[in-house]
């Protein structure tokens, strides 16, 4: 008795998934041609040959569509970082970070509009929901994981200043790193967590500087200069990258 009802449901699910895939593809095309601020559900519906009222049954608003694209981009760069870290895991934390940074740069150069959507100027009036957080944390997970690995292996040797980490990071950061109570985190581990934004900001900053044309007539070889930037910032955190 159940098969006649479940089979059509599965067919409807497949049809919905296919339409959502087409919808996101059309939205990505508009993102590339017009930018995130100009993204319009009506324009996406027109590309798909649908009435705008029909599209609203799948995506309730422009902001909901932006959220889907943002999650997709965060997941994509997170997957790139995780794959690169896994492939280079026998190279040690420092060289693994260089491999991750290079992989993220390649992704950004190949998908500049996705990079700009998540790491560029925020879309005015758009407030990212909590739905975006798990995907956004994937790259951070790689960064924190590599720093903790280096610390545990005794190869983290920061050149930056010693400091009291109290009050510098939110409790959520420590929970993410495995400590539910910030008061129980050893000082040196807290310093590791507090230095993690250095790797993130240097990575995003180096890519943004190149992607948005600020190295024009500065970098003879952008890829080689990128490596120096990543290695220099990593050295301050305590990861000694070899560029030989």
């Amino acid at each position: 008795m159940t098969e006649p009802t479940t089979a059509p449901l599965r067919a409807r699910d497949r049809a919905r998934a296919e339409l959502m895939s087409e919808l996101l593809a059309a939205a990505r095309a508009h993102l590339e041609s017009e930018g995130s601020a100009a993204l319009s559900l009506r324009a996406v519906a027109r590309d798909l040959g649908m009435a705008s009222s029909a599209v609203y049954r799948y995506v309730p608003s422009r902001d909901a569509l932006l959220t889907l694209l943002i999650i997709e981009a965060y997941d994509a760069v997170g997957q790139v970082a995780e794959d690169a870290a896994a492939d280079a895991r026998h190279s040690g934390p420092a060289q693994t970070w260089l491999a991750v940074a290079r992989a993220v740069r390649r992704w950004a150069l190949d998908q500049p509009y996705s990079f700009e959507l998540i790491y560029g100027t925020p879309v005015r009036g758009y407030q990212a929901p909590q739905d975006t957080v798990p995907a956004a944390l994937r790259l951070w997970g790689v960064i924190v994981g590599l720093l903790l690995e280096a610390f545990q292996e005794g190869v983290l040797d920061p050149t930056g200043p010693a400091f009291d980490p109290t009050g510098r990071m939110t409790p959520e950061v420590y929970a993410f790193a495995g400590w539910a109570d910030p008061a129980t985190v050893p000082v040196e581990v807290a310093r590791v967590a507090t230095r993690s934004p250095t790797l993130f900001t240097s990575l995003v900053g180096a890519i943004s500087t190149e992607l948005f044309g600020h190295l024009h007539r500065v970098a003879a070889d952008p890829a080689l200069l990128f490596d120096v930037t990543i290695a220099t910032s990593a050295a301050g955190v305590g990861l000694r990258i070899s560029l030989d």
Side-chain angles (χ1 to χ4, degrees):
M1 293 293 293
T2 58
E3 192 164 338
T5 57
T6 57
L9 282 175
R10 287 196 294 269
R12 283 197 293 272
D13 288 343
R14 286 196 298 271
R16 182 181 181 86
E18 289 173 4
L19 192 142
M20 286 298 299
S21 178
E22 293 173 4
L23 193 152
L24 287 173
R28 283 193 297 271
H30 279 277
L31 193 68
E32 181 173 348
S33 63
E34 300 165 11
S36 54
L39 187 63
S40 162
L41 271 179
R42 290 182 180 275
V44 171
R46 187 168 55 247
D47 288 353
L48 296 177
M50 298 175 62
S52 57
S53 58
V55 171
Y56 284 106
R57 292 201 298 268
Y58 295 89
V59 182
S61 66
R62 189 284 309 253
D63 283 4
L65 180 58
L66 269 176
T67 296
L68 291 175
L69 292 169
I70 287 168
I71 291 173
E72 181 182 65
Y74 274 135
D75 273 330
V77 71
Q79 189 67 55
V80 164
E82 290 164 2
D83 289 347
D87 290 343
R89 64 186 180 278
H90 299 304
S91 303
Q95 296 307 123
T96 298
W97 172 238
L98 178 61
V100 169
R102 285 171 170 173
V104 172
R105 173 182 176 269
R106 287 193 297 270
W107 173 83
L109 295 180
D110 187 52
Q111 304 287 335
Y113 299 99
S114 293
F115 177 87
E116 185 177 0
L117 177 64
I118 55 177
Y119 297 127
T121 303
V123 179
R124 184 172 297 181
Y126 172 80
Q127 184 68 40
Q130 283 295 111
D131 294 356
T132 62
V133 173
L137 287 177
R138 293 178 67 175
L139 176 56
W140 280 98
V142 172
I143 292 171
V144 173
L146 287 173
L147 286 176
L148 288 175
E149 179 184 338
F151 173 73
Q152 290 160 1
E153 293 179 1
V155 296
L156 195 67
D157 182 24
T159 59
F163 56 89
D164 180 359
T166 304
R168 297 180 188 265
M169 304 293 281
T170 65
E172 288 84 356
V173 173
Y174 296 116
F176 177 63
W179 279 272
D181 181 3
T184 66
V185 181
V187 171
E188 287 306 318
V189 172
R191 285 179 179 152
V192 170
T194 306
R195 288 186 172 104
S196 62
T198 300
L199 296 186
F200 177 80
T201 55
S202 64
L203 173 62
V204 173
I207 294 172
S208 299
T209 301
E210 177 182 356
L211 200 60
F212 302 145
H214 299 298
L215 293 181
H216 179 61
R217 301 187 68 178
V218 173
D221 187 322
L224 294 179
L225 185 59
F226 174 83
D227 285 357
V228 172
T229 302
I230 294 302
T232 301
S233 62
V237 171
L239 297 176
R240 302 310 174 95
I241 292 173
S242 172
L243 297 181
D244 294 338

